[in-house]
Amino acid sequence: MKFSQSEMLQAMSETGMIPVFNHEDIEVAKGVLDASYRAGIRVFEFTNRATNSLDVFTELYSYAGKYPDMVMGIGTIFTTEDANAFIDAGADFIVSPALIPELAVFCNSKEVFWIPGCATMSEIFQAKKLGATLVKAFPGNVVGSAFVAAAKSVYPELHIMPTGGVEPTEENLKEWFDAGVYCVGMGSQLFKKDWIKNQQFDLLENKIAETLQVIKGIK
């Protein structure tokens, strides 16, 4: 693997935010990746949400090679077959919206960093038992910051990343980080549809840089 698990965790902690993005057009995906890197992002999650996601990811991962310190993973993984295909394409880590035991066992056997989605204390308990060091609180807008605070009170050493409903505002980010999150995942709130459609990557870069500054100020 290009990065150790501790190196990836450190990169996530240092920036505090992981963009979560999918697009069917490789040129758009490259533009978003470039803007993200210029803004200070060092961990990027592409998601498996389109029929050609594997093809786009494969090319994007290769393209990202020009940034040797960019960690690039794949999200929205439900099966070991998909995990295997994306690991073969280079994925540095695997994210799932759910806690899927066989996926955990598979990633562990491949020594690939995996991040399961959890929405209850029982799921967090199971995830820890399966070896998870970071869990995704998902959907973030449903479980809320109070869930994170409660989970951290029981498992203080566990790293939690909410995704879904995290907003790039000081008020919202402060609420999450005050609750004890390790980092946040951010998708549609960050990637304005018009910016992506019109390929206004400079606006995206400014927004990401601004959001990272806000997080730095809060932490």
Side-chain angles (χ1 to χ4, degrees), residues 51-68:
T51 49
N52 69 337
S53 289
L54 180 59
D55 294 337
V56 176
F57 179 84
T58 302
E59 196 173 333
L60 190 64
Y61 189 88
S62 174
Y63 177 79
K66 65 178 182 171
Y67 304 125

Side-chain angles (χ1 to χ4, degrees), residues 110-186:
K110 293 269 189 180
E111 296 185 346
V112 172
F113 184 28
W114 60 281
I115 303 165
C118 296
T120 66
M121 291 305 291
S122 297
E123 287 176 350
I124 288 177
F125 173 77
Q126 293 298 336
K128 270 183 67 68
K129 233 166 84 166
L130 288 161
T133 51
L134 173 71
V135 302
K136 166 174 160 165
F138 183 78
N141 54 328
V142 176
V143 297
S145 58
F147 172 70
V148 173
K152 287 291 288 183
S153 71
V154 184
Y155 298 119
E157 76 291 351
L158 184 69
H159 302 320
I160 301 175
M161 171 183 75
T163 304
V166 180
E167 296 164 27
T169 65
E170 188 165 357
E171 185 185 12
N172 187 264
L173 288 165
K174 190 173 183 333
E175 184 185 320
W176 285 110
F177 280 94
D178 283 355
V181 301
Y182 190 71
C183 58
V184 295
M186 216 179 288

